[in-house]
Amino acid sequence: MLEMGHWLFEIADAVEQRAKVMGKREIVLNGGLSVSGLQHIGRLRGEVLTGEAVRKILEKRGYKVKQIIVLYTQDAWKGKEKQLKQFEGEEGRKYIGYPLIKVPDPKGCHANWVEHYWEDFGGVLDKFSDGKIEVVRTTDLYAKELKEVTKEFIEKRELTRSVVNKYRGRNPYPEDWIPIEPVCQNCGRIDGAKAIKIEGDLVEYICKHCGYHGKTKLENGKLNWRLEWAGIWKALDIDFEPFGKDHATPGGSRDSCVELATTVLKIQPPIGLPYEWVAIRQGKKEMDMGSSDFIGITPKEWLEIADPEVLRYIYFSTPPKKRIVIDLTEIPQYYEQLYHGERAYFMRKEGKSLSEEEEEAAINYELSILTDPPERLPFQLSYYTAALLVQSLPKEDIYDSALKRLRASKIIAGELSEFEKERIKSILIKASNWVEKYAPEQVKYAVRAELPAELKGSLRFKDSLIELGNKLISLENWNEDEIKKAMIEHTSSMNDEERKIFYREFYIVMIGKDSGPRAAPLLAALGKDVVKEKLIESLESK
RNA sequence: GGGCCCGUGGCUCAGCCAGGUAGAGCAGCGGGCUUUUAACCCGUUGGUCCCGGGUUCAAAUCCCGGCGGGCCCGCCA
């Protein structure tokens, strides 16, 4: 089998094996996110896309698979520095200890904190996946699926306590402990009400923050997080769930939850998978993306500059425990990696023999694409070329004008399929956003609005530049080769020193910097009109 | 205290799971092409695979013990 050895297929095998042993008809994959702030692209790695890839593999094998993401909306809002800063002034302080779902939207545009920060992640999930992912919130689960298991923990509180206390050496729960943490009806906090009595579906509690003594429904609270996680496994019948490295420590949360699952809830814990976090590099600095610290970019922001397949390819081709560092200035290289996988995929399809590395690249490509693969290897527009091109094109008409130039310069020949057209269109738009937001300086150039008069006066080769302009606009074929030829011819009589100055002035006139992208491709991209305007009209005037 | 990841030519890294002649890209050097502008093409230099032990006919790869760098957990989630 080609896929042997690929980590995603190994997980799929393990999950399949588990399902077989347990005789399950439907396999359930889970992921969990607490919406404590910025929902960055790192969170797609383990909790969403790993599951999606495993689901894809298992579905291909004929299994019915459900994929869920649980949002931990009942967790307490901690009021970390960056979280507080989302609010005006000191307003945020009021909400410390509130369940996330009860914290208002600091920007005022959504129903609450969770909905606001979930939007740029959840709202584009269907673009990063096939969309067949069910999103649930713990707030709702407590009213339904988690009800039974909550009661089970309360009934088995002694056993539960003996297990949990193994992991709470210095701060064990006391003998009268009741495993439910209610929301205080007086001060709104979920992080301090102590349950003292259970009466059917009601819990009586005393709040340590405000001293309030009251009763509320069980569902208006939450389980201690270890119980909660294990409880979700049981309530939703989970077969597989990845978890971040913070949960992976031996004797840590995953281990303690496994023990609760087997000894208290009497279930087989799901297959787990520890994964590393994703970092972002900005200049020389490199930081793990973080939700409550608001570090990173959201999936929505990623879509502005790159296709989702590109990120999927990075994630699928990297073993889960390896750290990934995303550098947004390297988007062109990330595209090349996806293209590499694409070429490998089509080589395999054509029956060519592949190296092991290419085999793997082909598999990663297959996992990364979101639509059926095209018939044959599609045209691969270099992202870098696109970035150069778009800087000289009218934004409104970017696709048609780009296509014209790409054909004129013979980068594209022949008819394009729908797939190719769509992809080119997408890359052009994304590359143009990338130039604005993240591209390194050397990639950028601008067609300057107007040449300052004092500069114009000091140009040594002003007449020669005008002459070149005239030669260029009379060219029959506007393509790189012709332009290059004309330029070589024009500068052939100059010596090295003169030529150097000539080119410097050329760039200053064209783009306002004394150097820039290669002259011929640049001019090909800019078009005749711009040449006429810059080299002739602006120099002749006055 | 416990655990994870990484350590391979100047740089970035692949190879390690399934042991079998040390690889790629960039940089360097030589040449070609071209007036270059994050170029391209051909050729080429360069490596005690962090160190020490073990297993083996054979170790970058497996096992044990160190060292250096990054990170996680220690009762919040």
Side-chain angles (χ1 to χ4, degrees), chain A residues 391-444:
Chain A
Q391 292 181 67
S392 69
L393 296 175
K395 266 212 150 155
E396 321 78 62
D397 181 33
I398 209 161
Y399 175 68
D400 288 328
S401 48
L403 216 57
K404 219 181 272 173
R405 300 256 177 91
L406 288 168
R407 285 192 188 285
S409 51
K410 306 247 159 47
I411 293 173
I412 291 178
E415 282 307 299
L416 293 172
S417 67
E418 274 311 305
F419 179 93
E420 291 169 317
K421 285 181 193 166
E422 284 309 312
R423 188 157 82 174
I424 293 168
K425 206 177 284 179
S426 167
I427 291 173
L428 289 168
I429 294 165
K430 292 175 193 317
S432 121
N433 293 331
W434 178 75
V435 169
E436 260 173 49
K437 293 182 83 169
Y438 306 111
E441 278 312 305
Q442 67 240 44
V443 176
K444 293 189 208 171

Coordinates of all heavy atoms in Angstrom, one line a residue, chain A residues 391-444:
Chain A
Q391 N 0.6 43.9 -9.2 CA 0.9 45.3 -8.8 C 0.8 46.3 -9.9 O 0.8 47.5 -9.7 CB 2.3 45.3 -8.3 CG 2.5 44.6 -7.0 CD 3.9 44.6 -6.4 OE1 4.4 45.6 -6.0 NE2 4.6 43.5 -6.4
S392 N 0.6 45.8 -11.1 CA 0.5 46.8 -12.2 C -0.9 46.7 -12.9 O -1.1 47.3 -14.0 CB 1.6 46.5 -13.3 OG 1.3 45.2 -13.9
L393 N -1.8 45.9 -12.3 CA -3.1 45.7 -13.0 C -4.2 46.5 -12.2 O -4.1 46.7 -11.0 CB -3.4 44.2 -13.0 CG -2.5 43.4 -13.8 CD1 -2.8 41.9 -13.6 CD2 -2.5 43.8 -15.3
P394 N -5.2 46.9 -13.0 CA -6.3 47.5 -12.3 C -7.1 46.5 -11.5 O -7.4 45.4 -11.9 CB -7.2 47.9 -13.5 CG -6.8 47.1 -14.6 CD -5.3 46.8 -14.4
K395 N -7.4 46.8 -10.2 CA -8.0 45.9 -9.3 C -9.3 45.3 -9.8 O -9.7 44.2 -9.6 CB -8.1 46.5 -7.9 CG -7.0 46.2 -7.0 CD -7.4 46.1 -5.6 CE -6.5 45.1 -4.8 NZ -6.4 45.3 -3.4
E396 N -10.1 46.2 -10.4 CA -11.4 45.9 -10.8 C -11.4 44.7 -11.9 O -12.3 43.9 -11.9 CB -12.2 47.1 -11.4 CG -11.9 48.4 -10.8 CD -10.6 49.0 -11.2 OE1 -10.4 49.3 -12.4 OE2 -9.7 49.2 -10.3
D397 N -10.4 44.7 -12.7 CA -10.4 43.9 -13.9 C -9.2 43.0 -13.8 O -8.6 42.7 -14.8 CB -10.3 44.9 -15.1 CG -10.4 44.1 -16.4 OD1 -11.1 43.1 -16.4 OD2 -9.7 44.6 -17.3
I398 N -8.9 42.5 -12.6 CA -7.6 41.9 -12.4 C -7.5 40.6 -13.2 O -6.4 40.3 -13.8 CB -7.4 41.7 -10.9 CG1 -5.9 41.7 -10.6 CG2 -8.0 40.4 -10.4 CD1 -5.6 42.0 -9.2
Y399 N -8.5 39.8 -13.3 CA -8.4 38.5 -13.9 C -8.2 38.6 -15.4 O -7.3 38.1 -16.0 CB -9.6 37.6 -13.6 CG -9.6 36.3 -14.3 CD1 -8.7 35.3 -14.0 CD2 -10.5 36.1 -15.4 CE1 -8.7 34.1 -14.7 CE2 -10.5 34.9 -16.0 CZ -9.6 33.9 -15.7 OH -9.6 32.7 -16.3
D400 N -9.1 39.4 -16.1 CA -9.0 39.5 -17.6 C -7.7 40.1 -18.0 O -7.0 39.6 -18.9 CB -10.2 40.2 -18.1 CG -11.4 39.4 -18.0 OD1 -11.3 38.2 -18.1 OD2 -12.5 40.0 -17.8
S401 N -7.3 41.2 -17.3 CA -6.1 41.8 -17.7 C -4.9 41.0 -17.4 O -3.9 41.0 -18.2 CB -6.0 43.2 -17.1 OG -6.2 43.1 -15.7
A402 N -4.9 40.2 -16.3 CA -3.8 39.4 -16.0 C -3.7 38.3 -17.1 O -2.6 37.9 -17.5 CB -3.9 38.8 -14.6
L403 N -4.8 37.7 -17.4 CA -4.8 36.7 -18.4 C -4.2 37.1 -19.7 O -3.4 36.4 -20.4 CB -6.2 36.2 -18.6 CG -6.4 34.7 -18.8 CD1 -5.8 33.9 -17.7 CD2 -7.8 34.3 -19.0
K404 N -4.6 38.3 -20.1 CA -4.1 38.9 -21.3 C -2.5 39.0 -21.3 O -1.9 38.6 -22.2 CB -4.7 40.3 -21.5 CG -5.0 40.7 -22.9 CD -5.6 42.1 -23.0 CE -7.1 42.2 -22.8 NZ -7.6 43.6 -22.7
R405 N -2.0 39.5 -20.2 CA -0.6 39.6 -20.1 C 0.1 38.2 -20.0 O 1.1 38.0 -20.6 CB -0.2 40.3 -18.8 CG -0.8 41.7 -18.7 CD 0.3 42.8 -18.9 NE -0.3 44.1 -18.9 CZ -0.4 44.8 -17.8 NH1 0.1 44.4 -16.7 NH2 -1.0 46.0 -17.9
L406 N -0.5 37.3 -19.3 CA 0.1 36.0 -19.2 C 0.1 35.3 -20.6 O 1.0 34.5 -20.9 CB -0.7 35.1 -18.2 CG -0.5 35.5 -16.7 CD1 -1.5 34.8 -15.9 CD2 0.9 35.2 -16.3
R407 N -0.9 35.5 -21.4 CA -0.9 35.0 -22.7 C 0.1 35.7 -23.6 O 0.8 35.1 -24.4 CB -2.3 35.1 -23.3 CG -3.3 34.1 -22.8 CD -4.5 34.0 -23.6 NE -5.6 33.2 -23.0 CZ -5.6 31.9 -23.0 NH1 -4.6 31.2 -23.6 NH2 -6.6 31.2 -22.4
A408 N 0.1 37.0 -23.5 CA 1.0 37.8 -24.3 C 2.5 37.4 -24.1 O 3.3 37.3 -25.0 CB 0.8 39.3 -24.1
S409 N 2.8 37.2 -22.8 CA 4.2 36.8 -22.5 C 4.4 35.3 -22.5 O 5.4 34.8 -22.0 CB 4.5 37.4 -21.1 OG 3.6 37.0 -20.2
K410 N 3.4 34.6 -23.1 CA 3.5 33.2 -23.4 C 3.6 32.3 -22.1 O 4.1 31.2 -22.2 CB 4.7 32.9 -24.3 CG 4.6 33.7 -25.6 CD 4.4 32.8 -26.8 CE 3.9 33.5 -28.0 NZ 4.5 34.8 -28.4
I411 N 3.3 32.8 -21.0 CA 3.3 32.0 -19.8 C 2.1 31.0 -19.9 O 2.2 29.9 -19.4 CB 3.2 32.9 -18.5 CG1 4.5 33.7 -18.4 CG2 3.0 32.0 -17.3 CD1 4.5 34.7 -17.3
I412 N 1.0 31.5 -20.4 CA -0.1 30.6 -20.7 C -0.3 30.4 -22.2 O -0.3 31.4 -22.9 CB -1.4 31.2 -20.1 CG1 -1.3 31.1 -18.5 CG2 -2.6 30.4 -20.5 CD1 -2.5 31.7 -17.8
A413 N -0.4 29.2 -22.6 CA -0.8 28.9 -24.0 C -2.0 27.9 -24.0 O -2.1 27.1 -23.1 CB 0.4 28.3 -24.7
G414 N -2.8 28.1 -24.9 CA -3.9 27.2 -25.0 C -5.1 27.5 -24.1 O -5.1 28.4 -23.4
E415 N -6.1 26.6 -24.2 CA -7.3 26.9 -23.5 C -7.2 26.5 -22.0 O -6.4 25.6 -21.6 CB -8.5 26.0 -24.1 CG -9.1 26.7 -25.3 CD -9.5 28.1 -25.1 OE1 -10.3 28.4 -24.3 OE2 -8.9 29.0 -25.8
L416 N -7.9 27.2 -21.1 CA -7.9 26.9 -19.7 C -9.2 26.1 -19.3 O -10.2 26.5 -19.8 CB -7.8 28.2 -18.9 CG -6.4 28.9 -19.1 CD1 -6.6 30.3 -18.4 CD2 -5.3 28.1 -18.5
S417 N -9.0 25.2 -18.4 CA -10.2 24.5 -17.9 C -10.8 25.4 -16.8 O -10.2 26.4 -16.3 CB -9.8 23.2 -17.2 OG -9.0 23.4 -16.1
E418 N -12.0 25.0 -16.4 CA -12.7 25.8 -15.3 C -11.8 25.8 -14.1 O -11.7 26.8 -13.4 CB -14.1 25.1 -15.0 CG -15.2 25.6 -15.9 CD -15.2 27.1 -16.0 OE1 -15.3 27.8 -15.0 OE2 -15.2 27.7 -17.2
F419 N -11.3 24.6 -13.7 CA -10.5 24.5 -12.5 C -9.3 25.5 -12.6 O -9.0 26.3 -11.7 CB -9.9 23.1 -12.4 CG -9.0 22.9 -11.3 CD1 -9.5 22.4 -10.1 CD2 -7.7 23.1 -11.3 CE1 -8.7 22.2 -9.0 CE2 -6.8 22.9 -10.3 CZ -7.3 22.4 -9.1
E420 N -8.7 25.6 -13.8 CA -7.5 26.5 -13.9 C -7.9 27.9 -13.8 O -7.2 28.7 -13.2 CB -6.8 26.2 -15.3 CG -6.1 24.8 -15.3 CD -5.7 24.4 -16.7 OE1 -6.4 24.6 -17.6 OE2 -4.6 23.9 -16.8
K421 N -9.0 28.2 -14.5 CA -9.5 29.6 -14.4 C -9.7 30.1 -13.0 O -9.3 31.1 -12.6 CB -10.8 29.8 -15.2 CG -10.6 29.8 -16.7 CD -11.9 29.9 -17.4 CE -11.8 29.6 -18.9 NZ -13.1 29.5 -19.5
E422 N -10.5 29.2 -12.3 CA -10.8 29.5 -10.9 C -9.6 29.7 -10.0 O -9.5 30.6 -9.2 CB -11.7 28.4 -10.3 CG -13.1 28.5 -10.8 CD -13.8 29.9 -10.6 OE1 -13.7 30.5 -9.6 OE2 -14.3 30.4 -11.6
R423 N -8.6 28.8 -10.2 CA -7.4 28.9 -9.4 C -6.6 30.1 -9.7 O -6.1 30.8 -8.8 CB -6.6 27.6 -9.6 CG -5.5 27.6 -8.6 CD -5.0 26.2 -8.3 NE -4.0 25.7 -9.3 CZ -3.4 24.6 -9.2 NH1 -3.6 23.8 -8.2 NH2 -2.5 24.2 -10.2
I424 N -6.5 30.4 -11.0 CA -5.7 31.6 -11.3 C -6.4 32.9 -10.7 O -5.7 33.7 -10.1 CB -5.6 31.8 -12.9 CG1 -4.8 30.6 -13.5 CG2 -5.1 33.1 -13.3 CD1 -4.9 30.5 -15.0
K425 N -7.7 32.9 -10.9 CA -8.4 34.0 -10.3 C -8.2 34.2 -8.8 O -7.9 35.3 -8.3 CB -9.9 33.8 -10.6 CG -10.8 35.0 -10.7 CD -12.2 34.7 -11.0 CE -12.5 34.3 -12.5 NZ -13.9 34.0 -12.7
S426 N -8.3 33.1 -8.2 CA -8.1 33.1 -6.7 C -6.7 33.5 -6.3 O -6.5 34.4 -5.5 CB -8.4 31.6 -6.2 OG -7.9 31.5 -4.9
I427 N -5.7 33.0 -7.0 CA -4.3 33.4 -6.7 C -4.0 34.9 -7.0 O -3.4 35.5 -6.2 CB -3.3 32.5 -7.4 CG1 -3.4 31.1 -6.9 CG2 -1.9 33.0 -7.3 CD1 -2.6 30.0 -7.7
L428 N -4.6 35.4 -8.0 CA -4.4 36.8 -8.3 C -4.9 37.7 -7.2 O -4.2 38.6 -6.8 CB -5.1 37.1 -9.7 CG -4.4 36.6 -10.9 CD1 -5.4 36.7 -12.1 CD2 -3.1 37.2 -11.2
I429 N -6.1 37.4 -6.8 CA -6.7 38.2 -5.7 C -5.9 38.1 -4.4 O -5.6 39.0 -3.8 CB -8.2 37.8 -5.5 CG1 -9.0 38.1 -6.7 CG2 -8.7 38.5 -4.3 CD1 -10.3 37.4 -6.8
K430 N -5.5 36.8 -4.1 CA -4.8 36.6 -2.9 C -3.4 37.2 -2.9 O -3.0 37.8 -1.9 CB -4.8 35.1 -2.6 CG -6.2 34.5 -2.3 CD -6.2 33.0 -2.1 CE -7.5 32.4 -2.1 NZ -8.6 33.0 -1.3
A431 N -2.8 37.1 -4.1 CA -1.4 37.6 -4.2 C -1.5 39.1 -4.0 O -0.5 39.7 -3.5 CB -0.8 37.2 -5.5
S432 N -2.5 39.7 -4.5 CA -2.6 41.2 -4.4 C -2.8 41.6 -3.0 O -2.2 42.6 -2.5 CB -3.6 41.7 -5.4 OG -4.6 42.4 -4.8
N433 N -3.6 40.9 -2.2 CA -3.7 41.2 -0.8 C -2.4 40.9 -0.1 O -2.0 41.7 0.8 CB -4.8 40.3 -0.2 CG -6.2 40.6 -0.7 OD1 -6.4 41.7 -1.0 ND2 -7.0 39.6 -0.7
W434 N -1.7 39.9 -0.5 CA -0.4 39.5 0.2 C 0.6 40.7 0.0 O 1.3 41.0 0.9 CB 0.1 38.2 -0.4 CG 1.4 37.8 0.1 CD1 1.6 37.2 1.3 CD2 2.7 37.8 -0.6 NE1 3.0 36.9 1.4 CE2 3.6 37.2 0.3 CE3 3.1 38.2 -1.8 CZ2 5.0 37.1 -0.1 CZ3 4.4 38.1 -2.2 CH2 5.3 37.6 -1.3
V435 N 0.6 41.2 -1.2 CA 1.6 42.3 -1.5 C 1.3 43.5 -0.6 O 2.2 44.0 0.0 CB 1.5 42.8 -3.0 CG1 2.2 44.1 -3.2 CG2 2.0 41.7 -3.9
E436 N 0.0 43.7 -0.4 CA -0.4 44.8 0.5 C 0.0 44.6 2.0 O 0.5 45.5 2.7 CB -1.9 45.1 0.4 CG -2.3 46.2 -0.5 CD -3.8 46.3 -0.6 OE1 -4.5 46.2 0.4 OE2 -4.2 46.3 -1.8
K437 N -0.3 43.4 2.4 CA -0.2 43.1 3.9 C 1.1 42.5 4.3 O 1.6 42.8 5.4 CB -1.3 42.2 4.3 CG -2.7 42.9 4.2 CD -3.8 42.0 4.7 CE -3.9 42.0 6.2 NZ -5.2 41.3 6.7
Y438 N 1.7 41.6 3.6 CA 2.8 40.8 4.1 C 4.1 40.7 3.3 O 5.1 40.2 3.7 CB 2.3 39.3 4.4 CG 1.1 39.2 5.3 CD1 -0.1 38.8 4.7 CD2 1.2 39.6 6.6 CE1 -1.3 38.7 5.5 CE2 0.0 39.5 7.4 CZ -1.2 39.0 6.9 OH -2.3 39.0 7.7
A439 N 4.0 41.0 2.0 CA 5.2 40.8 1.1 C 6.4 41.6 1.6 O 6.2 42.7 2.1 CB 4.8 41.2 -0.3
P440 N 7.6 41.0 1.4 CA 8.8 41.7 1.8 C 9.0 42.9 0.8 O 8.5 42.9 -0.3 CB 9.9 40.7 1.5 CG 9.3 39.4 1.1 CD 7.8 39.6 1.0
E441 N 9.7 43.9 1.3 CA 9.8 45.1 0.5 C 10.3 44.9 -0.9 O 9.9 45.6 -1.8 CB 10.8 46.1 1.3 CG 10.1 46.9 2.4 CD 8.8 47.5 1.9 OE1 8.7 48.2 0.9 OE2 7.7 47.3 2.6
Q442 N 11.3 44.0 -1.0 CA 11.9 43.9 -2.4 C 10.9 43.4 -3.4 O 11.2 43.5 -4.6 CB 13.1 42.9 -2.3 CG 12.8 41.5 -2.0 CD 13.5 41.1 -0.7 OE1 13.5 41.8 0.3 NE2 14.1 39.9 -0.7
V443 N 9.8 42.8 -3.0 CA 8.8 42.3 -4.0 C 7.9 43.5 -4.4 O 7.4 43.5 -5.5 CB 7.9 41.2 -3.3 CG1 6.8 40.8 -4.3 CG2 8.8 40.1 -3.0
K444 N 7.9 44.5 -3.6 CA 6.9 45.6 -3.9 C 7.5 46.6 -4.8 O 8.6 47.0 -4.8 CB 6.5 46.3 -2.6 CG 5.7 45.4 -1.7 CD 5.2 46.3 -0.5 CE 5.0 45.4 0.7 NZ 4.7 46.2 1.9

